[in-house]
Amino acid sequence: MADVGAHALQLPLVLIGPMGAGKSRVGGRLATSVGVPFIDTDTRIEQRHGPIDAIFARDGEAAFRALERDVVAEALTEPAVVSLGGGAVLHPDTRADLEEAAVVWLTVTPEAVAVRLVGGNRPLLAGGGIERWKAIQVEREPVYASLADLEIDTSRRSVARIVEQITERFGGTR
């Protein structure tokens, strides 16, 4: 693991968790607070290959997961705060890569996430809504738990408090 600057945060520091847990918001704020780059792998995929929902519609989930794996593998070599898409941890190579990283699992209750996902465009939730989210969460929870060095419930915590908890655990405080 690389350290960066005077605010030595363990890097890469990786945020995992379900859709709507706040990985992008927390990751962006954390990276800014300690002066390191932020990589949102879903954003990087969209910049290179177009909207995720279009990739799913055009090429299917398997093709998306192959693109995602390439982007995630690249991101995990960079000294940055990295936010992974909710399903990225399903790939065995990604799980192996995460053994060398600091991993924070952001959790969220179904009640809190229902509000956050309103109006979203998430291909895996199409037609299933919050019930589909719950099913995906139950399926992925054991994988998230096995990878996490720290678990934080984002349902009722401020982003500032979450960032503080992460920096307390992994360094990076000013």
Side-chain angles (χ1 to χ4, degrees), residues 1-16 26 30 33-34 36 80-82 98-106 147-152 161-174:
M1 284 174 255
D3 289 335
V4 173
H7 309 293
L9 186 69
Q10 247 179 292
L11 299 175
L13 187 135
V14 184
L15 302 176
I16 62 171
V26 169
L30 175 62
S33 77
V34 296
V36 302
V81 173
V82 180
L98 290 175
E99 291 176 11
E100 299 301 317
V103 179
V104 178
W105 173 24
L106 299 182
L147 297 168
D149 297 307
L150 176 65
E151 176 185 347
I152 300 174
R161 178 64 188 124
I162 295 164
V163 166
E164 183 178 290
Q165 284 182 266
I166 294 168
T167 55
E168 285 171 1
R169 170 67 171 80
F170 297 105
T173 56
R174 293 186 175 220

Side-chain angles (χ1 to χ4, degrees), residues 79-108:
V81 173
V82 180
S83 169
L84 299 188
V89 297
L90 300 177
H91 197 288
D93 291 342
T94 296
R95 291 194 302 272
D97 290 346
L98 290 175
E99 291 176 11
E100 299 301 317
V103 179
V104 178
W105 173 24
L106 299 182
T107 65
V108 62

Side-chain angles (χ1 to χ4, degrees), residues 28-110:
R29 179 86 60 89
L30 175 62
T32 298
S33 77
V34 296
V36 302
F38 173 61
I39 301 168
D40 181 313
T41 58
D42 282 349
T43 299
R44 193 172 270 187
I45 291 166
E46 289 185 337
Q47 289 169 341
R48 295 179 181 176
H49 304 285
I52 291 172
D53 59 327
I55 297 167
F56 265 78
R58 182 184 64 240
D59 304 321
E61 184 175 358
F64 169 76
R65 295 291 175 206
L67 295 173
E68 179 180 53
R69 171 58 195 149
D70 291 343
V71 167
V72 167
E74 174 188 36
L76 293 179
T77 67
E78 299 179 41
V81 173
V82 180
S83 169
L84 299 188
V89 297
L90 300 177
H91 197 288
D93 291 342
T94 296
R95 291 194 302 272
D97 290 346
L98 290 175
E99 291 176 11
E100 299 301 317
V103 179
V104 178
W105 173 24
L106 299 182
T107 65
V108 62
T109 64

